[in-house]
Amino acid sequence: MTATPAAAPPAAAPPVLVACSHGTRSETGRRTVDALRAAVAAARPDLQVRAAHVDVHGPELPEVVGELSAAGRASVVVPLLLSSGYHVRVDIAEAVAASGGLAVAGAALGPGPEVTDVVLQRLGEALGEDPAGFDGAVVLAAAGSSDAVAQADVRTAAGLLAHRLRAPVSTGFLSAQEPTVADAVAAARRAGARRVAVASYLLAPGVFSRRLADAGADAVAEPMGPHPLLVDLVVRRYEAAALAPAG
């Protein structure tokens, strides 16, 4: 009588992808970030994708990571954030540290070439032309932060955009820093620019993006939204963190 082969043990479930955004009071902004998470889940149907936030509303990141850890589930927190500022280095780091070794954190989405590609595409859509041929001044509009690392990341993002445009890019901010976007636009006009365009270094629409319409620019780019390049980037951030050696 031939013995029946033993059933193979079930494969361990991959770590949960906790897609952690800042949080916003804007319903449009929430839907936009939810759409990004949904696109990530569609791109990787083998993964469980959970929402979490570091501010404004729930589900809050410590609760999500704590729930998963209590159930013995490993997780990878991917920041849906454009810089490695306070929320990444403190809020996310603390939630991961409290997981008992079951959670790890991925890197922020920006700055980097993929984010620059999306910024350029949105700028081109606003201009109705190839932004590389734009004969005016470009202001990169960012949320603004009192965190020195976040400030440095925005400078890096402006440098990457300037390299692609082969033209200078100034920065303007919507909170916490100066110059404001409106002041940066006005400064570009005083310097002789006949046209000024605002490139948006924002992930989703909300209070900040609405302010850009009053900045006095000739063209204002939309926030990045759930762009396919960002979806791919979130997945790669997850994979890099999940495969990184412990410790």
Side-chain angles (χ1 to χ4, degrees):
M1 181 176 179
T2 303
T4 302
V16 175
L17 193 166
V18 180
C20 181
S21 68
H22 181 275
T24 176
R25 293 180 178 85
S26 166
E27 290 298 327
T28 303
R30 291 190 192 190
R31 288 194 297 270
T32 299
V33 178
D34 285 344
L36 175 57
R37 291 192 184 96
V40 170
R44 285 294 302 270
D46 57 314
L47 299 179
Q48 181 182 352
V49 178
R50 292 282 299 272
H53 310 89
V54 292
D55 203 356
V56 183
H57 60 86
E60 297 178 355
L61 178 64
E63 294 176 0
V64 173
V65 173
E67 175 192 326
L68 292 169
S69 300
R73 288 297 307 273
S75 62
V76 175
V77 180
V78 178
L80 304 185
L81 301 168
L82 297 173
S83 69
S84 300
Y86 181 88
H87 291 306
V88 171
R89 293 183 292 105
V90 177
D91 293 331
I92 291 176
E94 287 180 351
V96 166
S99 72
L102 284 170
V104 296
L109 299 184
E114 301 90 351
V115 170
T116 303
D117 284 343
V118 180
V119 172
L120 275 170
Q121 181 175 328
R122 297 291 182 244
L123 179 60
E125 291 166 356
L127 290 169
E129 62 182 88
D130 183 351
F134 181 56
D135 61 355
V138 174
V139 175
L140 182 66
S145 173
S146 59
D147 183 272
V149 175
Q151 293 173 2
D153 281 350
V154 173
R155 290 194 295 271
T156 298
L160 291 170
L161 183 60
H163 177 74
R164 293 288 300 277
L165 292 173
R166 298 180 182 177
V169 172
S170 60
T171 52
F173 302 95
L174 293 155
S175 69
Q177 286 179 258
E178 294 182 345
T180 65
V181 177
D183 286 346
V185 170
R189 294 201 190 282
R190 288 195 301 271
R194 290 179 297 174
R195 293 197 296 163
V196 182
V198 170
S200 177
Y201 199 65
L202 301 170
L203 189 62
V207 173
F208 285 160
S209 64
R210 289 196 295 271
R211 293 178 188 170
L212 296 179
D214 299 323
D218 298 287
V220 176
E222 293 293 326
M224 297 177 208
H227 194 283
L229 287 175
L230 297 184
V231 173
D232 181 64
L233 183 57
V234 170
V235 172
R236 287 191 286 114
R237 291 286 192 260
Y238 167 89
E239 292 172 342
L243 295 174

